[in-house]
């Protein structure tokens, strides 16, 4: 067994024989082909060996009961995944390019959620190490409202959202909030935690950005035990929904459960460390994973709204409600009121890349904010008719009560002269009574039972011949006067007709 070489200081801790940067961990058992790391001289003559005669899996352990000087190196060891769990490595940048890359790249925008296990098996001091790991992870991220948003969830048998994606956009506030997180100390409901992330954290209300923004949704689960619920189906649903899951196991964590919940390829998404004391060493690995050496992340593009990475180049896109201009860089608001783009029943009003619906005069907007209903234009206060309002398909016209006529302004009414010629049925005399009339008769006549016609009055009295002659003379005179009055009435009617005709012609002119 060869002595275990000390790792270089800048070398990130991996998730197995091959980490996310495509490097191989030197040592036995993996059949490595990577370049070995030059060993340094150990500080004492004792050399560490493989426990039990060599595990053959690349894991170096101190023999039990032997106080060795290599004990301080144990926190730097990461157990590799079994060969069955390995996938094709994803090389983000060539090995040995740390110094150049660290100054040239920043992580791509993410909606990142940490889900940390604080069950009974996690001791208080170990939970504090997890909080340090979270803080150091945040230090490596390009945090901001338009860059990476971070949420933290704490779970055991229950789940607590410590802060969602919309709460903090600066590192100091996030780290301050993390420092106050307390463990829940109960069971290990990992499936419930992932389901809660989908239902309550990765929502636009809680700060997750819309799918049209193409911002990756990422979960990092840190646990030291075996899930006590069904995590497989929940994790599969999360991955189907586009959530990328990284699983970090510590100490007694169940490796099979980690592989069940993590995204593919597994060797890039499953990590294991022996103790919480070395979990913070994973920050460099995650930094390499999230580092995006592209013009979109670096901010050196010319896109006005959305930059979409395309290999070594980029394309510009626009937010919803905007369209890319011919220069392929700037955006213009889409005419959302163009035919076929809106759902308005009558009037569409374009507003900043969106629209609102309105209605024609005489209609009101329905509760669905799209369709219109005819309003009751004859409701009190909606019209200016003096007497009668007649609704007519969203509009109205005015009318008058019986006995009144509509004035030329088409709104007000005037009382009709019911005793005007042609308006009554009286044979002799028409007497007007407000909106009605009654009939009467000349002297010497009485009104018949039909209340319209008149009959000569008959008196039964004893008279002398002289009085009789006088009566006949008087009757003759009355007949003459009546005849003349009727003739005069007829002429008056003719004059009235001519006068009305003349007034009618004057109004036309």
């Amino acid at each position: 067994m060869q002595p275990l070489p000390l790792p270089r200081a800048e070398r990130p801790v991996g998730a197995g024989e091959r980490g996310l940067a495509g490097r191989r961990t030197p040592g036995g058992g993996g059949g490595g082909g990577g370049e070995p790391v030059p060993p340094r001289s150990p500080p004492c003559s004792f050399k560490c060996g493989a426990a039990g005669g060599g595990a053959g899996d690349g894991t170096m352990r101190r023999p039990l009961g032997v106080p060795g000087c290599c004990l301080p190196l144990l926190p730097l060891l990461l157990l590799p995944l079994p060969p069955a769990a390995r996938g094709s490595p994803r090389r983000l940048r060539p090995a040995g390019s740390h110094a150049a890359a660290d100054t040239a790249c920043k992580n791509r925008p993410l909606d990142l959620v940490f889900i940390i296990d604080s069950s009974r098996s996690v001791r208080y001091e170990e939970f504090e190490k997890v909080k340090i790991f979270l803080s150091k992870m945040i230090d490596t991220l390009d945090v901001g409202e338009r860059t990476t948003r971070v949420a933290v969830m704490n779970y055991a048998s229950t789940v607590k959202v410590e802060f969602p994606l919309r709460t903090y956009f600066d590192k100091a506030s996030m780290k301050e909030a993390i420092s106050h997180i307390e463990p829940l100390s109960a069971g290990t409901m990992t499936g419930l935690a992932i389901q809660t992330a989908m239902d309550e954290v990765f929502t636009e209300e809680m700060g997750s950005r819309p799918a049209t923004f193409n911002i990756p949704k990422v979960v990092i689960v840190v646990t030291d035990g075996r899930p006590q619920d069904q995590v497989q189906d929940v994790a599969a649903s999360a991955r189907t929904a586009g959530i990328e899951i990284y699983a970090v196991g510590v100490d007694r964590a169940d490796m099979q459960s980690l592989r069940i919940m993590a995204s593919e390829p597994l060797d890039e998404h499953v990590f294991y460390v022996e103790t919480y004391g070395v979990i913070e060493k994973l920050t460099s690995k995650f930094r390499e994973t999230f580092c995006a050496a592209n013009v979109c992340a670096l901010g050196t593009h010319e896109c006005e709204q959305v930059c979409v990475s395309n290999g070594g180049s980029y394309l510009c896109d626009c937010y919803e409600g905007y369209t890319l201009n011919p220069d392929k860089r700037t955006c213009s608001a889409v005419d959302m009121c163009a035919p076929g783009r809106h759902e308005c029943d009558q009037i569409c009003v374009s507003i900043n890349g969106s629209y609102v619906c309105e209605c024609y005069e005489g209609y009101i907007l329905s509760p669905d904010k799209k369709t219109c209903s005819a309003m009751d234009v004859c409701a009190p206060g909606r019209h200016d008719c003096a007497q009668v309002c007649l609704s007519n398909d969203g509009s109205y016209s005015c009318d008058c009560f019986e006995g009144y006529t509509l004035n030329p302004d088409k709104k007000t009414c005037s009382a009709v002269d019911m005793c005007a010629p042609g308006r009554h049925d009286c044979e002799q005399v028409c007497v007007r009574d407000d909106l009605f009339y009654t009939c009467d008769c000349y002297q010497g006549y009485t009104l018949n039972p039909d209340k319209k016609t008149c009959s000569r009055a008959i008196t039964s009295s004893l008279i002398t011949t002289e009085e009789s002659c006088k009566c006949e003379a008087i009757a003759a005179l009355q007949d003459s006067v009546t005849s003349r009055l009727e003739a005069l009435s007829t002429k008056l009617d003719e004059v009235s007709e001519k006068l009305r005709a003349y007034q009618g012609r004057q109004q036309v002119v």
Side-chain angles (χ1 to χ4, degrees):
M1 177 66 64
Q2 296 295 322
L4 175 67
L6 288 171
R8 287 178 290 188
E10 73 274 11
R11 181 178 179 276
V13 179
E17 224 175 22
R18 271 187 276 183
L20 292 175
R23 300 182 179 180
R24 292 183 179 272
T25 302
E35 180 181 351
V37 179
R40 297 179 181 176
S41 299
C44 64
S45 60
F46 178 79
K47 293 182 173 60
C48 299
D57 60 355
T59 303
M60 302 302 294
R61 300 182 177 87
R62 180 175 60 84
L64 294 175
V66 181
C69 59
C70 59
L71 182 60
L73 301 180
L74 286 178
L76 300 178
L77 300 181
L78 294 176
L79 295 181
L81 291 177
R86 298 171 191 154
S88 300
R90 177 170 47 145
R91 183 178 293 274
L92 299 179
R93 52 191 169 118
S97 61
H98 289 274
D102 284 351
T103 60
C105 75
K106 53 200 283 191
N107 77 279
R108 65 187 186 273
L110 305 170
D111 284 345
L112 176 60
V113 178
F114 290 99
I115 301 178
I116 57 174
D117 178 1
S118 64
S119 57
R120 188 175 292 106
S121 60
V122 182
R123 292 187 292 271
Y124 180 81
E125 61 273 14
E126 293 175 332
F127 192 72
E128 291 300 309
K129 292 289 185 180
V130 175
K131 289 159 64 173
I132 293 173
F133 165 66
L134 296 184
S135 295
K136 290 197 173 183
M137 280 291 299
I138 287 171
D139 282 334
T140 68
L141 299 172
D142 183 19
V143 170
E145 184 175 6
R146 293 182 178 273
T147 52
T148 292
R149 300 182 182 184
V150 176
V152 175
M153 298 173 59
N154 184 9
Y155 81 98
S157 60
T158 59
V159 179
K160 180 181 179 182
V161 179
E162 297 292 347
F163 58 85
L165 296 165
R166 70 179 184 183
T167 303
Y168 303 116
F169 299 118
D170 64 279
K171 297 181 180 181
S173 298
M174 290 182 186
K175 292 163 67 175
E176 175 67 19
I178 288 171
S179 68
H180 295 294
I181 296 176
E182 294 294 332
L184 301 177
S185 301
T188 309
M189 305 296 285
T190 310
L192 177 62
I194 296 175
Q195 186 67 54
T196 304
M198 288 192 290
D199 296 340
E200 301 180 17
V201 180
F202 284 115
T203 65
E204 292 185 34
E205 292 79 9
M206 290 294 104
S208 182
R209 284 161 284 192
T212 53
F213 283 29
N214 295 317
I215 303 296
K217 293 175 171 55
V218 179
V219 163
I220 298 179
V221 180
V222 180
T223 180
D224 75 335
R226 180 191 299 271
Q228 295 176 347
D229 56 359
Q230 296 298 319
V231 73
Q232 184 171 1
D233 293 341
V234 176
S237 297
R239 294 193 298 267
T240 302
I243 299 174
E244 187 175 9
I245 302 177
Y246 291 86
V248 176
V250 183
D251 193 13
R252 299 169 297 277
D254 178 56
M255 293 301 296
Q256 182 61 27
S257 298
L258 298 179
R259 289 191 288 269
I260 285 174
M261 74 176 78
S263 298
E264 294 284 350
L266 295 179
D267 70 326
E268 297 184 8
H269 291 84
V270 178
F271 296 86
Y272 177 80
V273 291
E274 286 184 332
T275 67
Y276 280 101
V278 297
I279 190 172
E280 63 187 80
K281 302 295 182 179
L282 291 176
T283 56
S284 60
K285 269 300 173 188
F286 280 111
R287 188 190 188 288
E288 287 184 3
T289 301
F290 300 148
C291 181
N294 59 65
V295 291
C296 288
L298 293 174
T300 57
H301 58 86
E302 297 180 346
C303 298
E304 182 181 26
Q305 292 187 357
V306 179
C307 177
V308 180
S309 181
N310 184 24
S313 184
Y314 69 94
L315 300 172
C316 297
D317 201 355
C318 301
Y319 300 138
E320 186 176 1
Y322 292 81
T323 184
L324 196 64
N325 291 328
D327 62 9
K328 302 300 182 183
R329 298 194 303 272
T330 58
C331 299
S332 298
V334 173
D335 181 9
M336 300 304 294
C337 288
R341 287 188 178 273
H342 66 88
E343 298 177 337
C344 297
D345 186 27
Q346 293 185 357
I347 300 174
C348 176
V349 180
S350 183
I351 300 178
N352 295 331
S354 185
Y355 70 91
V356 294
C357 298
E358 292 184 359
C359 300
Y360 300 136
E361 185 176 0
Y363 291 81
I364 56 175
L365 196 63
S366 300
D368 63 7
K369 303 298 182 183
K370 299 175 184 178
T371 57
C372 299
S373 303
M375 68 170 64
D376 182 7
V377 292
C378 286
R382 290 187 181 274
H383 65 89
D384 47 12
C385 296
Q387 292 187 357
V388 179
C389 175
L390 302 175
S391 181
N392 183 22
D393 192 23
S395 183
Y396 70 94
S397 59
C398 298
D399 202 354
C400 300
F401 301 136
E402 185 178 0
Y404 290 83
T405 183
L406 194 63
N407 292 328
D409 62 6
K410 302 298 183 183
K411 299 176 183 178
T412 59
C413 299
S414 297
V416 174
D417 181 5
M418 300 304 296
C419 285
R423 288 189 177 273
H424 63 88
D425 297 328
C426 297
E427 182 181 24
Q428 291 184 0
V429 180
C430 176
V431 181
R432 182 174 173 180
D433 181 19
D434 197 12
L435 301 180
F436 305 97
Y437 69 93
T438 59
C439 297
D440 203 354
C441 298
Y442 302 134
Q443 187 176 1
Y445 290 82
T446 59
L447 194 65
N448 292 326
D450 63 7
K451 303 296 182 181
K452 299 178 182 178
T453 59
C454 299
S455 298
R456 187 183 298 277
I458 300 175
T459 59
S460 59
S461 59
L462 297 177
I463 57 175
T464 64
T465 302
E466 184 180 354
E467 289 175 342
S468 175
C469 291
K470 289 181 180 180
C471 287
E472 290 178 359
I474 291 172
L477 179 61
Q478 287 178 340
D479 289 343
S480 176
V481 171
T482 299
S483 177
R484 289 178 182 274
L485 285 173
E486 289 178 349
L488 181 60
S489 177
T490 301
K491 287 185 178 182
L492 286 174
D493 289 344
E494 292 175 354
V495 170
S496 296
E497 286 294 330
K498 290 179 180 180
L499 181 59
R500 282 196 296 274
Y502 173 75
Q503 289 176 341
R505 288 194 298 273
Q506 286 297 104
Q507 289 178 354
V508 172
V509 174

